Amino acid sequence: MNAEQTTKRELLEWLDGQRAHVVEQVMAMPAEARRRSQVPSGWTPRGVIRHLTLDVERVWFRAVMAGEQVDLPQGYDGWTAPDLQSDEELLEQYADECRLARAAVAELPLDAEPVWWFEDSGDPPYSSLREVLLHVIVETATHAGHLDICRELVDGGQHLVLDEPTS
């Protein structure tokens, strides 16, 4: 395995770790808390999963990098999980999209350029698969942190505790 393949594998492993963190935090919450917002902006944990599925994984890997013709949400729709969709279905859709995303970029080199971007939106903000991978890792980790806070507000559960608070 050459250096580029090693780097790409490592980046994808880091992303997989963040994906797992997201799922673990959502699954650890009581079902009713997944549908309830803990923040003034109104998003829910289910909405975060939907956003990561459609606005992040599908957009960045399948549409932007691979040029696949995929259905994309409009406006805030990517943050809205259908009420009739079960949590299990929602999480399975996320897992499926993550698998499809990984497959879409499997053969691309890290310096591959985006092949699609939104019409009338200028140039894509990232110029290579490497930059897109880094962006998606950061975005997924950011939302994992949001879910950590939601989880703690709901039931006091914490993802990682190294020591006890002093106050």
Side-chain angles (χ1 to χ4, degrees), residues 1 6 20 29 34 41 45 47 56 58 75 78 93-94 97-99 101 104 118 122 126 142 151 162-163:
M1 183 176 289
T6 299
M29 289 180 205
R34 298 175 195 152
S41 60
V56 180
R58 183 174 290 176
Q93 184 182 25
Y94 179 55
E97 195 63 45
C98 291
R99 282 190 291 276
F118 297 92
Y126 307 109
T142 298
R151 166 98 190 281
L162 299 177
D163 53 22

Side-chain angles (χ1 to χ4, degrees), residues 12-28 49 52 57 91 94 98 140-141 144 147-148 159:
L12 288 167
E13 287 172 357
W14 274 90
L15 178 54
D16 285 342
Q18 294 307 312
R19 289 166 169 160
H21 180 153
V22 163
V23 171
E24 289 166 7
Q25 285 301 77
V26 170
M27 290 304 296
I49 294 293
L52 287 169
E57 299 284 344
L91 290 165
Y94 179 55
C98 291
T140 306
L147 292 168
D148 288 346
H159 176 71

Side-chain angles (χ1 to χ4, degrees), residues 36-51:
R36 188 175 62 242
S37 178
Q38 299 291 325
V39 295
S41 60
W43 59 261
T44 65
R46 285 171 44 89
V48 169
I49 294 293
R50 177 87 165 175
H51 167 68

Side-chain angles (χ1 to χ4, degrees), residues 25 28-30 33 36 38 147-161 164-165:
Q25 285 301 77
M29 289 180 205
R36 188 175 62 242
Q38 299 291 325
L147 292 168
D148 288 346
I149 292 168
C150 286
R151 166 98 190 281
E152 189 170 351
L153 288 169
V154 166
D155 66 7
Q158 298 176 13
H159 176 71
L160 178 64
V161 179
E164 295 294 320

Side-chain angles (χ1 to χ4, degrees), residues 68-148:
E68 291 182 26
Q69 300 271 328
V70 291
D71 290 332
L72 298 175
Q74 300 297 311
Y76 197 73
D77 289 347
W79 282 89
T80 307
D83 286 336
L84 296 178
Q85 187 176 30
S86 71
D87 293 350
E88 293 75 22
E89 290 169 330
L90 188 69
L91 290 165
E92 185 59 35
Q93 184 182 25
Y94 179 55
D96 288 344
E97 195 63 45
C98 291
R99 282 190 291 276
L100 291 167
R102 188 181 262 274
V105 300
E107 300 303 319
L108 296 178
L110 286 174
D111 63 355
E113 296 179 2
V115 296
W116 176 84
W117 190 241
F118 297 92
E119 190 174 320
D120 299 324
S121 295
D123 293 330
Y126 307 109
S127 62
S128 68
L129 176 58
R130 178 190 313 269
E131 290 179 6
V132 166
L133 279 166
L134 291 168
H135 166 72
V136 174
I137 290 167
V138 169
E139 182 153 359
T140 306
T142 298
H143 290 309
H146 294 146
L147 292 168
D148 288 346

